[in-house]
Amino acid sequence: MEYSYYPGCSLHSTGKEYGLSVEVVSRALGLKLHELFDWSCCGATSAHSTSFDLSVALPARNLIFAEKRGLDVMIPCAACYNRFKMAQHHLANAPGLRGKVSETLGYEYRGTAVIRSPIDIFHQDVGLETLEEKVRKRLAGLKPVSYYGCLWLRPAEICDFENPENPVKLDEIMTSLGAESRKWAFKTDCCGGSLTISKTGQVEKMVGRLMRMAVEAGANCVVTACPLCLANLDMRAPAENRLPVFYFTELMALALGLEGPEKWFKLHGTDPRPLLRSLDLL
Amino acid sequence: MKNFLEEVNARIGGVALQNCYHCMKCSSGCPMAEVMEYQSNEIIRMVQLGEREKLLNSSAIWLCVSCETCVTRCPNAVDIPRMIDVLRQMSLEAGIKPAEPEVVAFHRAFLDTVKLGGRVNEPLMMVSYKARTGTWFKDLVMGLKMLLKGKLSLVSPRTRNRTVIHRIFKRTSKL
Ligand code: SF4
Ligand code: SF4
């Protein structure tokens, strides 16, 4: 199985351990990733807030490279995934937009790229059974709540991901690793990530509530698939309710017995190692 | 000449705002409702009533986090986040001083680094943001910790074809 791979800006900086763990896990599961040629930023919230055309042209440049390569493109960052899907949607529907964007970019945009989430790739293309067979160390005692946030899911018709009010794929992946995935009602509530720098006070309240609910659900950690969510939950949680937060791929690597998790865990704001040691997982 | 409602509808280019029947499903699920001075369905009504000045000067348009919850739940598929983006863009184009200057300063700092290197360089972006807002000490310890842990680096790989990046910005962004 081969894929194009769009890391996006976060996976080279604040989400470094997400990028590293996606690569290590993919390799171990027999997936070949090809980093997208000379990729550029998707523009995130700052582009769509300030200019519609910019918010389409930035992802479109990368989509063109993906169509040329012809492989499904894996996008681990929820925000990038969302901006790519939105751009593709607008390019297919807004009259005249395709021509205008192709002209700006100097390449013909055709609209044939297939945008994929690693959650979906591991769940669907690899499959839970295969995953379960490859587990070397079952994550017994780990009780994560799965936190999906906003951008994988909404708007549902455009993101084409899962039930936007009750997604389950992350939970199922966690179960196949031997963890005890906890049910909770906040898996799709917003954490406020896009305003974490500029409206910190409000965002701390939002993160505080999520963490309180996770604790109430009996969780001992949170698992996510978004570098903005992780940075936000990991850094902005109140001292009294502070659970370790993991990328789902870090836990996959740990369960598959791969090299790297110890190093990545050192990069977290809330050190997850004491919890993992107490469960005999490190 | 188009009135305010027609202008906003044209820029949204999808479901017309008149389809809203004010069930308030959007506002009930909005995570920012408690801090927005106008609720999402109120904003729709205000656009219909032509309250251009009030909306373009509001905090609400900048406090929406673009979580897309409202449009996902709306029984009429009214695209509120897109409407809010349109109002933001109109506010910037009219040269209005934003009611939430930090939010706009962040967007400027973010896009400036993209324009420069094709990709975001986080330390550079934070310095630019802090210079714009004068908030030198907020989050400083956190940033330094990340630098020390080797998460952030001062130089990061850039997009090679920056000519096309500059052309994209030149043609599409007036920020
Ligand atoms: S959910 Fe839709 S129809 Fe209901 S008030 Fe909001 S925009 Fe109007
Ligand atoms: S997209 Fe904006 S208006 Fe809609 S629910 Fe989220 S914060 Fe509220």
Side-chain angles (χ1 to χ4, degrees), chain B residues 19-27 41 44 70 73-76 78 80:
Chain B
N19 284 282
C20 165
Y21 47 42
H22 296 281
C23 65
M24 295 187 68
K25 217 175 158 190
C26 52
S27 307
N41 70 301
I44 296 176
C70 47
R73 292 182 180 166
C74 173
N76 296 316
V78 174
I80 293 167

Side-chain angles (χ1 to χ4, degrees), chain A residues 116-247:
Chain A
R116 306 280 308 275
S117 154
I119 303 176
D120 186 45
I121 290 175
F122 296 142
H123 191 281
Q124 234 56 55
D125 302 9
V126 174
L128 297 178
E129 272 170 37
T130 313
L131 193 57
E132 217 170 321
E133 278 164 25
K134 300 219 171 190
V135 169
R136 295 280 159 274
K137 186 176 357 172
R138 290 179 60 77
L139 303 182
L142 205 66
K143 298 175 186 170
V145 281
S146 295
Y147 179 66
Y148 299 76
C150 309
L151 297 174
W152 290 118
L153 304 163
R154 297 187 289 262
E157 324 74 65
I158 296 176
C159 289
D160 188 26
F161 185 75
E162 258 199 277
N163 178 339
E165 301 288 358
N166 187 27
V168 295
K169 284 183 184 165
L170 267 184
D171 299 77
E172 289 176 358
I173 292 178
M174 286 304 117
T175 307
S176 40
L177 302 179
E180 186 194 321
S181 178
R182 305 295 297 177
K183 286 195 167 58
W184 70 325
F186 291 80
K187 45 168 80 161
T188 70
D189 272 39
C190 179
C191 73
S194 67
L195 293 180
T196 191
I197 310 269
S198 49
K199 295 287 333 135
T200 309
Q202 178 61 21
V203 171
E204 277 168 350
K205 272 204 263 177
M206 297 165 84
V207 173
R209 194 177 67 141
L210 287 174
M211 281 296 179
R212 214 164 48 242
M213 293 306 154
V215 171
E216 209 166 90
N220 55 16
C221 64
V222 179
V223 62
T224 184
C226 170
L228 308 179
C229 297
L230 187 130
N232 203 29
L233 296 173
D234 194 31
M235 300 287 191
R236 304 287 189 204
E240 67 279 11
N241 277 324
R242 195 164 263 215
L243 295 177
V245 190
F246 295 101
Y247 290 111

Side-chain angles (χ1 to χ4, degrees), chain B residues 22-48:
Chain B
H22 296 281
C23 65
M24 295 187 68
K25 217 175 158 190
C26 52
S27 307
S28 328
C30 172
M32 300 312 269
E34 60 175 277
V35 288
M36 283 162 69
E37 77 271 54
Y38 308 121
Q39 304 299 285
S40 34
N41 70 301
E42 271 182 276
I43 299 179
I44 296 176
R45 195 69 191 132
M46 288 169 75
V47 174
Q48 288 182 285

Side-chain angles (χ1 to χ4, degrees), chain A residues 9-10 12-17 35 37-41 43-54 57-58 61 82-83 86 90 103-106 150-151 154-156 164-165 188 190 192 194-200 202 205-206 230 235-236 266-269, chain B residues 31-32 34-35 62-69 71-73 79 82 85 88-89 92-93 100 102-103 106-108 110-111 114 118-120 122 125-126 129 138-139 142 146 149-153 156-162 164-165 167-169 171-175:
Chain A
C9 309
S10 297
H12 280 189
S13 56
T14 45
K16 203 172 185 172
E17 63 277 32
E35 188 160 324
F37 173 76
D38 200 34
W39 59 270
S40 44
C41 174
T45 305
S46 298
H48 76 71
S49 296
T50 58
S51 159
F52 173 72
D53 287 352
L54 180 65
L58 285 174
R61 176 172 180 269
N82 192 281
R83 293 324 308 167
M86 290 279 212
H90 292 310
E103 214 250 294
T104 301
L105 296 173
C150 309
L151 297 174
R154 297 187 289 262
E165 301 288 358
T188 70
C190 179
S194 67
L195 293 180
T196 191
I197 310 269
S198 49
K199 295 287 333 135
T200 309
Q202 178 61 21
K205 272 204 263 177
M206 297 165 84
L230 187 130
M235 300 287 191
R236 304 287 189 204
K266 284 187 203 155
L267 299 173
H268 289 223
Chain B
M32 300 312 269
E34 60 175 277
V35 288
W62 298 111
L63 291 176
C64 156
V65 274
S66 313
C67 71
E68 308 275 340
T69 307
V71 57
T72 301
R73 292 182 180 166
D79 195 342
R82 184 76 193 279
D85 276 348
R88 289 169 175 162
Q89 289 155 20
L92 291 171
E93 287 159 19
E100 295 292 336
E102 298 92 352
V103 177
F106 176 81
H107 294 327
R108 290 212 157 96
F110 184 98
L111 293 174
V114 178
R119 300 176 190 172
V120 176
E122 272 157 337
M125 174 187 79
M126 286 311 288
Y129 171 74
K138 197 180 140 237
D139 288 337
M142 190 201 286
M146 285 187 152
K149 285 182 174 182
K151 263 196 136 167
L152 298 181
S153 50
S156 49
R158 307 199 288 177
T159 304
R160 263 171 292 159
N161 187 351
R162 290 192 290 282
V164 68
I165 303 294
R167 189 162 71 230
I168 293 173
F169 274 90
R171 293 204 188 165
T172 64
S173 172
K174 289 176 220 87
L175 202 63

